[in-house]
Amino acid sequence: MIHQSEMPTLILGGTGKTGRRLEERLTVLGKPVRIGSRSGRPPFDWNDEATWEQALDGVGAAYISYYPDLAVPGAADAVGAFARLAVRNGVKRLVLLSGRGEEEAQRAEQAVQDSGADWTILRCSWFCQNFSESFLLDALNAGVVALPVSEVKEPFIDADDIADAAVASLTKDGHIGQLYEMTGPRLLTFAEAIGEIGKASGRDIRYVQINPREFDAMLVEQQLPAEFVGLLNELFTQVLDGRNSYLTDGVERALGRKPTDFSDYVRDAAATGVWGGVK
């Protein structure tokens, strides 16, 4: 009989910022993985419950990252239904990627806790990689970043720290029943963060504060889907209202080390040429 630790780990959102990093780390450790996505084999789709059971078949644990974000209406219900199905199918070890200061995310956390799973929750601040692997990249390369955020400070977290915590939670003892609220070691405004990126990349990048209506119009002009426009507006105007402007010890508790500083992330990202500007 195959021991559960030798069975594949299902990584939902396996092509995303944290899922991709988790897959790389588990593979290096010789741990089998299964990518949960619409293009996966078998496919997984959050909007089609008929795909869930087959994706869970034969796996020993699951990393749950909800697309597009736990802040969207209905996310908690979907995550809870998936967690209960996983437990019924014998997949009790679940690690949930969650977000700070989001009511729907905390409902999803509770749903996983109530499912009967052996759970770990990674409740994370704003990802550093949103500047280099997300919608902010185009604006940075154009030289002007316009957002509806004032002087609110955020403790940006490196996605590599999150992936390391996920690996530890899935492969080592002592993490079951733990909620790790994960932040970077320093608070910065978006203007300060963009200033560090400009300095490291040797470019003049401006930050401009705009109002939510202008932000919506800009996103629509960029042809983002309507659901993303609403989601980003909510994140920038509600979640980034100062409620998360404090540091936590989640990285240290999970990994026994300090979190990665934003300046270290910026140095490494700049070295790849990702912020080289418009060509």
Side-chain angles (χ1 to χ4, degrees), residues 5 39 46 69 85 103 106-107 113 200 205 224 248 259 267:
S5 64
S39 60
W46 277 114
D69 190 275
L85 178 65
E103 182 178 342
Q106 291 175 20
R107 285 187 60 228
Q113 291 171 326
I205 304 174
L224 264 69
T248 64
R267 179 199 63 220

Side-chain angles (χ1 to χ4, degrees), residues 100-153:
R100 298 175 85 209
E102 300 175 11
E103 182 178 342
E104 191 75 0
Q106 291 175 20
R107 285 187 60 228
E109 293 174 4
Q110 191 62 54
V112 171
Q113 291 171 326
D114 292 342
S115 69
D118 294 331
W119 56 267
T120 304
I121 293 168
L122 309 180
R123 183 190 289 170
C124 301
S125 58
W126 186 272
F127 294 4
C128 296
Q129 279 72 14
N130 285 329
F131 292 99
S132 54
E133 300 176 19
S134 194
F135 79 103
L136 290 176
L137 178 58
D138 288 343
L140 285 161
N141 280 334
V144 180
V145 179
L147 298 172
V149 185
S150 59
E151 294 302 305
V152 170
K153 290 181 177 286

Side-chain angles (χ1 to χ4, degrees), residues 175-242:
H175 298 283
I176 292 175
Q178 295 295 317
L179 192 161
Y180 298 120
E181 188 165 352
M182 303 179 67
T183 71
R186 186 160 53 105
L187 291 163
L188 298 94
T189 65
F190 274 79
E192 290 169 339
I194 289 163
E196 289 199 21
I197 291 171
K199 183 176 180 181
S201 59
R203 299 183 53 237
D204 179 19
I205 304 174
R206 293 189 298 117
Y207 176 74
V208 179
Q209 183 183 348
I210 57 176
N211 64 48
R213 185 178 300 175
E214 291 172 318
F215 185 56
D216 272 1
M218 182 184 72
L219 296 176
V220 170
E221 186 177 339
Q222 293 173 1
Q223 298 184 332
L224 264 69
E227 62 267 25
F228 283 97
V229 174
L231 171 62
L232 289 171
N233 194 296
E234 178 181 350
L235 290 175
F236 277 106
T237 60
Q238 296 184 38
V239 178
L240 289 169
D241 62 356

Side-chain angles (χ1 to χ4, degrees), residues 251-274:
V251 172
E252 294 176 74
R253 288 177 51 229
L255 298 174
R257 63 166 174 80
K258 297 285 187 181
T260 303
D261 191 82
F262 187 77
S263 61
D264 294 323
Y265 152 74
V266 168
R267 179 199 63 220
D268 294 343
T272 69
V274 68

Side-chain angles (χ1 to χ4, degrees), residues 34-84:
R34 177 180 296 169
I35 301 301
S37 69
R38 283 177 289 185
S39 60
R41 295 291 180 267
F44 177 89
D45 187 343
W46 277 114
N47 296 316
D48 183 2
E49 291 190 33
T51 66
W52 298 2
E53 191 158 9
Q54 190 174 6
L56 284 164
D57 184 40
V59 304
Y63 175 75
I64 304 173
S65 174
Y66 185 84
Y67 181 85
D69 190 275
L70 281 180
V72 304
D77 293 335
V79 168
F82 176 83
R84 291 188 294 273

